């Protein structure tokens, strides 16, 4: 499981981090405003599952399917699910955005992905857009991305510049992605950029709709 957050293991095996607790409510406000009242959500790169549990609890009419290629992450997701006993929080999938053989055949109303594009090679983002183009219901299926991005006309915040340097020190294939490049990739898979939302700590939510 790729994570730059400090992680605490709870007695039941669930993983928790200050960053996930800190940003969950702000993300939820945006999702609540744009997700369908009912439907299905596939979360890509769920990590510890702390977001999946919080959002499934807050949005009980949405079926939330978390996923992560990491065994450790899926074990944590399962622990959160046992802890909260939510009927709409589905078992985690062993889905790798870069490996089409792991992708589900089902379709979904929404794909949600937080903090993956910069902590993975560009090929993972390419896979994410390919996946979204295949499994989002059309027209109107929603792809929601959360994290830091570079923008051509917006000066890079010092904190994000330092963050990117730390990412590249760990893996030269990691780093903040150009928003314009992400939007162009999305267009090539039939996804139209519809909204950019400024979030705390120099993060963004980018929304796309399947057309």
């Amino acid at each position: 499981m790729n994570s730059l957050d400090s992680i605490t293991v709870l007695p039941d095996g669930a993983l928790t981090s200050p960053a996930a607790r800190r940003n969950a409510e702000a993300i939820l406000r945006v999702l609540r405003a744009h997700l369908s009242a009912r439907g299905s959500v596939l979360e890509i790169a769920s990590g510890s599952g702390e977001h999946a549990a919080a959002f499934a609890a807050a949005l009980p009419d949405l079926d939330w399917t978390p996923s992560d290629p990491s065994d450790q992450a899926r074990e944590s997701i399962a622990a959160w699910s046992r802890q909260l006993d939510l009927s709409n929080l589905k078992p985690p999938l062993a889905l790798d955005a870069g490996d089409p053989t792991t992708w589900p055949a089902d379709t979904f109303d929404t794909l949600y992905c937080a903090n993956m594009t910069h902590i993975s090679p560009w090929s993972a983002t390419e896979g994410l857009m390919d996946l979204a183009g295949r499994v989002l219901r059309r027209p109107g299926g929603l792809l929601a991305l959360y994290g830091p991005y570079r923008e051509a006309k917006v000066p890079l915040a010092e904190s994000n510049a330092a963050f990117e340097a730390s990412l590249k020190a760990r893996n030269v294939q990691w780093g903040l992605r150009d928003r314009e490049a992400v939007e162009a990739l999305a267009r090539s898979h039939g996804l139209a950029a519809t909204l950019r939302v400024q979030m705390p700590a120099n993060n963004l939510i980018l929304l796309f709709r399947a057309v």
Side-chain angles (χ1 to χ4, degrees):
M1 182 177 70
N2 287 330
S3 176
L4 301 182
D5 298 332
S6 59
I7 300 292
T8 300
V9 183
L10 301 179
D12 62 357
L15 305 177
T16 182
S17 74
R21 293 192 300 274
R22 190 167 54 244
N23 61 30
E25 186 57 39
I27 296 171
L28 178 60
R29 283 196 295 271
V30 178
L31 295 181
R32 196 191 297 274
H34 295 281
L35 268 63
S36 302
R38 297 178 182 274
S40 57
V41 180
L42 173 61
E43 182 179 1
I44 308 302
S46 299
S48 69
E50 195 164 3
H51 276 179
F55 299 161
L59 303 166
D61 292 325
L62 289 174
D63 287 331
W64 198 282
T65 301
S67 71
D68 203 283
S70 162
D71 292 341
Q72 180 189 31
R74 294 195 305 276
E75 290 169 5
S76 176
I77 295 166
W80 279 110
S81 183
R82 290 191 300 270
Q83 183 181 127
L84 297 180
D85 192 25
L86 300 169
S87 62
N88 65 321
L89 182 57
K90 305 305 179 183
L93 303 179
L95 187 158
D96 184 337
D99 181 1
T101 66
T102 67
W103 298 353
D106 299 333
T107 58
F108 297 85
D109 297 295
T110 300
L111 262 66
Y112 166 69
C113 182
N115 292 326
M116 185 200 79
T117 62
H118 56 283
I119 314 180
S120 60
W122 176 246
S123 59
T125 301
E126 292 176 324
L128 172 65
M129 293 303 180
D130 189 4
L131 171 64
R134 295 189 194 194
V135 306
L136 278 177
R137 293 183 179 131
R138 296 174 185 273
L142 176 68
L143 171 64
L145 305 182
Y146 169 85
Y149 291 87
R150 286 181 168 272
E151 297 182 281
K153 297 181 179 180
V154 180
L156 187 64
E158 289 185 10
S159 59
N160 278 355
F163 180 48
E164 180 168 48
S166 72
L167 290 172
K168 289 190 174 298
R170 292 184 61 179
N171 189 320
V172 295
Q173 296 187 75
W174 295 1
L176 274 60
R177 306 305 175 191
D178 292 334
R179 178 171 66 85
E180 293 79 5
V182 171
E183 291 178 350
L185 181 61
R187 284 195 301 274
S188 73
H189 290 282
L191 304 167
T194 59
L195 190 64
R196 169 197 180 277
V197 183
Q198 185 69 50
M199 301 295 286
N202 299 307
N203 288 298
L204 300 175
I205 285 182
L206 304 178
L207 301 183
F208 304 81
R209 292 284 180 181
V211 296

